[in-house]
Amino acid sequence: MSMLLWLCIGWVFASALVAMLPMRWQYLPGVLLLLAAPVLIGSIAMTIGFWAALAALLAFGSMFRNPLRYFWKRLTGQMVERPQ
């Protein structure tokens, strides 16, 4: 559990650092964080429990709502605008 805690803390700090980057530099690290989050949330679910994973999932959805909305629109074939 200790290692999972440090991985989650590292993910939070990495996401805060990525958010401070200019928009054009956020894409690659943001996608990597986006892909790492479900793995961490799944690990939280197995190690700690459902409620902790649900809280993590809600926080993740709140932080990444715009990229998730963008990818959802692309998957469903809707028109999307890329941020400048």
Side-chain angles (χ1 to χ4, degrees), residues 15-83:
S15 65
L17 288 173
V18 169
M20 289 189 273
L21 294 172
M23 191 60 154
R24 66 182 177 276
W25 293 352
Q26 288 183 4
Y27 291 110
L28 179 61
V31 168
L32 294 176
L33 288 168
L34 191 67
L35 295 174
V39 175
L40 286 174
I41 293 171
S43 297
I44 290 170
M46 291 188 301
T47 305
I48 300 170
F50 170 76
W51 295 107
L54 181 62
L57 184 64
L58 291 173
F60 169 73
S62 174
M63 289 176 66
F64 282 85
R65 66 185 169 273
N66 289 330
L68 291 171
R69 191 177 301 139
Y70 170 80
F71 287 124
W72 177 255
K73 285 182 178 182
R74 294 249 346 240
L75 285 172
T76 58
Q78 299 177 27
M79 286 290 290
V80 293
E81 294 179 23
R82 282 186 58 172

